[in-house]
Each structure stands twice: as structure tokens, then as C-alpha cells.
Amino acid sequence: MTELNNAVTGFDALGLPEVLLSALRDMGFSQPTPIQEKTIGPLLEGRHVLGEAQTGTGKTAAFGLPALANIDTNLRKPQMMVLAPTRELAIQVAEAIEAFAKNMKGLRVATLYGGQSYGPQLSQLERGAQVVVGTPGRLMDHLRRKTLKLDNLSLCALDEADEMLNMGFLEDIEWILDHLPESTQMALFSATMPPAIRKVANRFLVDPVHVKIDAVKAEKANITQLAWKVTGINKNTAIERIVETFDYDAMLVFVRTRNDTLTVAEQLERLGYPCAALNGDMNQAQRERTVEQLKNGRISILIATDVVARGLDIPRIDLVLNYDLPGDTESYVHRIGRTGRAGREGTSISFVRPREMYNLRHYERATSGTINTFELPTVQELGNIRIERCRKSLLTTLESGKIGNMREVLVKMAEDSDVSIEELAAALLFEKQIKQPFQPKEDPKPRRERSDRDSRGRDNRDSRDGRGRDNREGRGRGERSERRGASNRPDVDWQAYRIEVGKEHGARPGDIVGAIANEISLDSAYIGQINLNDNHTIVQLPKGMPKDAFEQLRKVRVRRQQLDISVSDAPMEVQARRPRNNERRGERRGERRNDRPRHN
């Protein structure tokens, strides 16, 4: 295996044809990245290449440009094929190749992935696509159907090979590579080189040039990494404060499960922020439409899981928020790599619980960077920010000259009411700030996090949610699990209510507590037993709920389902049965299974 090191040069010196160089100039690219500079030459010479480089380092151009240089556009058959782990990455690679080849007349690209009907894909192949980009599962389907023929394939590239391994595609990859012509040139790119990937390289690559790029240092240099220690207020309140006070163009929020994408999205939607969820339950058309909305500015916040967000390259994203920490260091690098790409600046913020603080050292080593802790704005600072924002908004309206005769109306209202103009203005300001008070409620005092095990060594599972996260702090905002004995409080006269959202909608007790507590400002101590059923839930609330609060709750949505709350006459002793430990473990296993990435 040959090691290669060269000095960085311009694209003009790499031997690319003018038809590609002109496209690169139009795109504003003048200097190749290290992976491009060290890879394009060997691929143009027909060498096999094994590349180790993180996501966002320019691998698509590294294999795409030399492959395009050798394509005969008069031959309407596949000559280049790219394997990608996800639909999103396949689409991104296809779009990049089309951009590089915009001056190549007759060049066609077919994108093949699961979740889309075969009709459009067959049409792309029948029109004579010279470039095929796809996910392993759908490529196998087309090869079996003989709708994809590789007799003229000159280059095959594997992008994010380690991710395909993590998603269970190893056997599929080997099956596809076994169907390639012996003369096919290979390019394999991976962020890491585990034994299984190295085995594939040894089997299918012939005397490859090995290019290894220390991409983390170069790629993450423009990313400011911050961490907030989850104390006092909970993460729901924290994300609201960040969304309101941080200066960003577009934000990508990472959560652990697809259900969490809906919970966080609904919370921010209620506050009026343009946002959307992106998860594996959405069909491909919905996912593509959501990503496009982020690109064109119709939404500014995207809440996603790791798998569906992999490969996103949207210039607008300048803030990445780790609402939940990832499961490994590599995922952290991939996450924050969604911002600060190609020389742009970005910021990442991680919500870190006290017992997770040790992870920061690993993240710093992986990124060769520093993660600084910071404090959220206090309620006083938040109030000052809201006042200043209101002042600027009023001045903008005044400067626009569109206030018409409002001054005269104000003077007359003051005279008719026998009050001063200042008093009327204060009343208007009061009405304007009702939804977002200029004087927010004081933050709760930080609580010292208790050990996960009590003095007898028993696991305190009653205070943890289905994913093992501690939910004790910040219960007032909804991060709370079911509690034993809540219905036995002597100072509360409980009434059972039925709401029309349940397990089949993905609801959890914390979702229901959060929705009720937030909408009618009810302290979570006055939300009793919660019994989740398949299509509805029974919850205990204080008897004699005010009519306006009752009507308000009827319209609230959880998991996109309207609560439509009503009084329940069923005996709460039966309804409020607490799930046994083995039932909870079964639910957790089911959630983990359902959230695993599926074969494309």
C-alpha cells in the first residue's frame, strides 16, 4: 500500500480538464482541500485509493472530479458508481457531481435509494445515466432486477464506509463489489479504518494509494465549541432561552430518538419559532421537503437524529445544538461538522448533565479543540434582551412612516380616558409582553444531583426515564416520569381526565406533563398519576379545573395529536397502575429497536 504526501497546489495543476475547472471557478473553488489534492492525481492515473478523512473534508470532489474527467458522455451507460450509507448523503453527492459536471453536455446522474418508487429511478437509468449514486439496498435491488448493468463501470467509490459498516451494510457492500468488472477502479473513503473496512480494502483494492488526512484539526478550527451544564433549569427551558437569545441563521438540534424530534419541535412551534422535525418515520418525500425548507429559509430550526442528519451540508447552518449527547465521540465530530464547513465559522453547544462532564475531555481530544463552559442568560438578562428587542421593533415601525394617524388616536384616547399618554403606552407594552414577559419567572435553584444508586446500592430507576436519563431536576417543565403515590397527597382532591393521545402516537409521561404544565402554568406537583394506553391516556389533575384552563387544554397538541381532554369516570386505581420493571425494560428495548437505522 503506497503512502502519498504532496504540497498543496491549485486545481489547475492537478491535471483536470478545462470543462471541470471552469465549473469549479464558477463555484468559487480555487484551492483543493488536502484530501482532494492528494487523491485526484492518483485517481486520474488509474490507481486505486484508500482515503481516511472525516466528513466535510471534500471527499465528493476528491473522487468525483477525476471520475468525471474519464467519463465518455457519448456512452449512455453507467461508468461511475458511488455507494453512500443514507438517502440524504446519496442526494447530496449526486447534487455535487451534477454541479461539477454542469458544463459537460450529455452527462446524466441517476440517484437510487429506498423510500422512493422505482418509476423515476428506472427513467433515470433508461435515459442513459453515466453516473449512479445510491444506497446499498436499492443498488442491490436494481442489480437483481437487471435494471442496472455495470459492464462499462470504470470507477466505484465507497463514501463513509465506516458508517455503512455501522448500519449493517457490510455484506451488502461485498455483494455489490463482487458484481463489478475486474477492471473497475476503486476508491474507498472512511473516517475511521476498523478491521472490517480494512478487510474490504485488502480484498477489493489493488495496491491502493493510502491517503490519511488529519481532518479534525483543519475542519473544526472554525467551530466554537460550548457546553452548558444542566443544573437548575431543565433542557426544555434552556433550548427556549438559546433560541431566543443566540444570534444564528439556521440551527440544527440533535436529539437521541425520533420521538424526541417531535417533542422538541412541538415545543418550539408553540413558541412561534419556524422549525421542523426530521426523523426516520417520515417518508423520503417528506424528508426532502423538510431539508429544502431549511435550505430556502422557510424554517430556521431543524430537530433531527444522527442517522437522518448525516450528510447534511447546508451553508445556513451556523449553530449545532446537542440537546442529547451522542453515544460516541465519532458521532460528536460528525454532528458539529454540520457547521463551520469549507472555511465558514460556526458554533456548537452541548447540554451536559453533571455525570456526563467527563465526555468533554474525549470530545476535545477528538477535535483538537477546546470546549468552554458557559452560563445561560439569567432571567434579568433575558428580560433586558426582550425589552431591547421590543424597543428596536417599535423604532423600526416608527421609522417606516406607516403609523398613520396613530399619534392622534393615542392623544384622543388619553384625553377621553383622563389618563396620561405614558400610562396608555405602558398598558400597550404590558399587552405586548404578556406571551413573553419582560420580567420572566426566577430560575429554580440548582439541585445537587444525587447518585444513580441509593445508600443500599439499589438502582434509582423510578427517577429515570426510558433512556436512562435522570429526570429529577427541572420537573416543572415536563422532564418527569411517573411517580409512585402522587394520588395519595392529602392536600389535593384529584379528578381523573382522559386525553386523546397514547402510546401508538409515541407519547410519554414527560410529554404530557410538559404540555399541561406549560400551557396552563400548573406546577408539576399538581399533576398526579399518568396511565398511558394505546390510543388515549388517563391523567390525574386537581378537581374543579377552571373552565378557561380546561378549554385551553382541549386545543393543546402532544405528538401532533390534540388532547381533547374530558372528564373520566373510570376508577383511577386501575388506570394508574404503574408499569412493572420488566414492562419498562420492554418499552425501552422496543424504542431502541425502532430507532435503529433501517436498510435503504
Side-chain angles (χ1 to χ4, degrees):
M1 188 176 294
T2 306
E3 298 283 346
L4 192 64
N5 285 294
N6 294 321
V8 175
T9 60
F11 280 110
D12 294 345
L14 296 179
L16 294 170
E18 177 59 29
V19 68
L20 295 176
L21 292 174
S22 60
L24 291 173
R25 286 193 293 268
D26 292 342
M27 298 168 69
F29 298 153
S30 58
Q31 289 290 333
T33 64
I35 189 66
Q36 295 164 0
E37 189 273 331
K38 294 181 179 181
T39 302
I40 290 175
L43 286 176
L44 285 173
E45 296 170 1
R47 299 286 302 276
H48 289 220
V49 168
L50 175 63
E52 287 187 68
Q54 300 287 351
T55 183
T57 53
K59 297 191 298 293
T60 303
F63 62 75
L65 292 172
L68 290 171
N70 293 321
I71 283 180
D72 179 4
T73 55
N74 294 318
L75 179 62
R76 298 299 183 89
K77 294 181 179 180
Q79 300 168 54
M80 171 188 178
M81 182 169 70
V82 182
L83 278 70
T86 66
R87 305 160 186 171
E88 288 74 22
L89 184 57
I91 294 170
Q92 177 189 322
V93 170
E95 290 177 347
I97 290 175
E98 288 176 339
F100 298 147
K102 69 175 186 176
N103 297 328
M104 295 178 64
K105 294 183 179 179
L107 194 285
R108 297 179 183 274
V109 179
T111 312
L112 313 178
Y113 50 81
Q116 184 188 54
S117 64
Y118 283 89
Q121 298 178 4
L122 292 173
S123 298
Q124 294 176 34
L125 294 171
E126 291 170 356
R127 287 199 301 267
Q130 295 93 350
V131 180
V132 174
V133 184
T135 52
R138 185 53 63 96
L139 288 174
M140 291 176 65
D141 290 345
H142 281 283
L143 287 171
R144 290 193 182 102
R145 292 166 176 250
K146 301 188 183 302
T147 52
L148 173 62
K149 298 181 180 179
L150 306 178
D151 299 339
N152 298 92
L153 196 71
S154 57
L155 183 140
C156 177
L158 276 67
D159 197 7
E160 306 280 7
D162 55 345
E163 184 61 22
M164 286 191 275
L165 171 66
N166 293 336
M167 296 174 68
F169 288 139
L170 181 60
E171 292 182 1
D172 296 347
I173 292 171
E174 293 178 330
W175 187 92
I176 293 171
L177 298 185
D178 279 331
H179 285 73
L180 302 183
E182 290 187 5
S183 60
T184 301
Q185 183 183 10
M186 293 293 303
L188 187 155
F189 290 89
S190 183
T192 58
M193 202 59 60
I197 296 299
R198 192 169 292 277
K199 182 180 177 181
V200 171
N202 292 336
R203 178 182 173 189
F204 293 100
L205 275 64
V206 180
D207 188 25
V209 174
H210 185 193
V211 179
K212 186 174 182 179
I213 303 297
D214 188 7
V216 169
K217 289 183 179 179
E219 179 63 15
K220 308 311 171 191
N222 292 327
I223 300 176
T224 300
Q225 300 180 65
L226 303 173
W228 172 67
K229 187 176 180 180
V230 184
T231 54
I233 64 177
N234 61 31
K235 292 195 288 187
N236 290 340
T237 302
I239 192 173
E240 293 176 8
R241 201 160 293 183
I242 286 175
V243 168
E244 183 178 351
T245 60
F246 267 71
D247 185 17
Y248 64 91
D249 186 18
M251 180 192 302
L252 180 57
V253 181
F254 281 100
V255 294
R256 188 168 288 119
T257 70
R258 62 178 182 271
N259 285 338
D260 293 333
T261 64
L262 298 176
T263 301
V264 177
E266 288 172 353
Q267 173 192 350
L268 297 179
E269 282 177 346
R270 286 197 296 267
L271 298 173
Y273 294 104
C275 64
L278 186 70
N279 60 59
D281 275 354
M282 302 165 64
N283 62 44
Q284 186 57 28
Q286 291 174 318
R287 290 161 74 174
E288 291 176 6
R289 186 164 55 249
T290 300
V291 172
E292 186 60 31
Q293 288 176 335
L294 186 66
K295 287 181 178 179
N296 61 31
R298 293 187 61 187
I299 62 174
S300 56
I301 307 172
L302 188 65
I303 300 93
T305 55
D306 283 297
V307 172
V308 295
R310 181 171 288 273
L312 281 178
D313 185 9
I314 300 175
R316 292 188 61 226
I317 298 176
D318 51 6
L319 177 59
V320 169
L321 175 63
N322 292 308
Y323 184 91
D324 294 316
L325 290 187
D328 54 73
T329 302
E330 190 64 36
S331 295
Y332 176 83
V333 175
H334 281 295
R335 284 184 178 190
I336 71 171
R338 299 309 99 206
T339 185
R341 297 166 73 88
R344 296 185 292 267
E345 295 184 358
T347 302
S348 73
I349 300 174
S350 298
F351 289 172
V352 187
R353 297 182 184 279
R355 63 175 175 275
E356 297 172 326
M357 293 297 289
Y358 73 93
N359 287 320
L360 299 185
R361 295 194 300 273
H362 300 298
Y363 299 158
E364 288 180 329
R365 283 197 294 268
T367 59
S368 296
T370 301
I371 302 177
N372 295 313
T373 58
F374 80 104
E375 296 297 329
L376 293 173
T378 64
V379 290
Q380 292 79 15
E381 293 169 336
L382 182 61
N384 292 335
I385 290 172
R386 291 176 178 177
I387 291 172
E388 178 62 16
R389 187 166 58 241
C390 179
R391 184 186 71 83
K392 290 181 177 180
S393 174
L394 293 175
L395 288 178
T396 300
T397 302
L398 186 62
E399 292 169 358
S400 69
K402 297 180 180 180
I403 63 172
N405 66 338
M406 291 300 102
R407 188 188 304 273
E408 290 78 7
V409 172
L410 184 63
V411 171
K412 188 173 188 309
M413 289 175 63
E415 293 175 350
D416 293 345
S417 306
D418 196 22
V419 297
S420 68
I421 291 178
E422 288 80 2
E423 289 174 313
L424 277 181
L428 288 172
L429 277 180
F430 177 80
E431 289 187 353
K432 185 176 179 64
Q433 60 89 57
I434 287 178
K435 289 187 177 180
Q436 272 199 337
F438 290 160
Q439 294 180 333
K441 293 181 180 179
E442 289 292 332
D443 290 334
K445 293 182 179 180
R447 295 185 181 183
R448 184 172 60 87
E449 187 174 77
R450 289 179 285 175
S451 169
D452 291 343
R453 304 180 67 85
D454 64 18
S455 58
R456 298 183 182 181
R458 296 176 302 193
D459 198 356
N460 290 324
R461 296 184 184 273
D462 292 348
S463 61
R464 301 168 71 89
D465 66 15
R467 292 165 294 165
R469 298 186 305 175
D470 189 271
N471 275 340
R472 283 187 292 266
E473 98 278 3
R475 283 181 175 173
R477 299 291 295 183
E479 291 189 358
R480 161 192 180 272
S481 60
E482 297 175 36
R483 295 176 298 164
R484 187 193 305 271
S487 60
N488 295 327
R489 283 178 50 124
D491 55 340
V492 178
D493 188 7
W494 297 104
Q495 169 67 57
Y497 292 89
R498 172 182 171 126
I499 57 177
E500 304 305 319
V501 60
K503 293 179 181 177
E504 68 179 25
H505 306 117
R508 295 175 302 181
D511 304 329
I512 295 166
V513 172
I516 295 174
N518 291 337
E519 288 300 322
I520 61 174
S521 300
L522 181 67
D523 190 288
S524 64
Y526 293 93
I527 301 176
Q529 292 282 2
I530 296 174
N531 182 35
L532 283 171
N533 296 285
D534 289 338
N535 57 8
H536 72 279
T537 296
I538 304 298
V539 56
Q540 284 183 323
L541 298 172
K543 185 177 290 186
M545 186 188 305
K547 184 177 180 180
D548 57 344
F550 188 84
E551 291 301 320
Q552 188 174 351
L553 282 180
R554 289 178 61 89
K555 302 174 184 178
V556 172
R557 291 182 178 271
V558 169
R559 302 295 184 186
R560 304 195 183 279
Q561 298 292 318
Q562 188 167 317
L563 293 188
D564 198 19
I565 189 169
S566 59
V567 175
S568 174
D569 296 326
M572 197 64 194
E573 290 75 18
V574 176
Q575 295 168 338
R577 180 181 63 82
R578 201 161 162 251
R580 301 185 190 92
N581 284 338
N582 62 338
E583 292 175 333
R584 290 189 174 190
R585 287 194 294 269
E587 291 178 5
R588 290 198 292 272
R589 286 196 297 268
E591 181 178 359
R592 287 195 293 269
R593 282 198 302 270
N594 292 335
D595 205 55
R596 287 176 183 166
R598 302 174 182 175
H599 284 257
N600 292 287

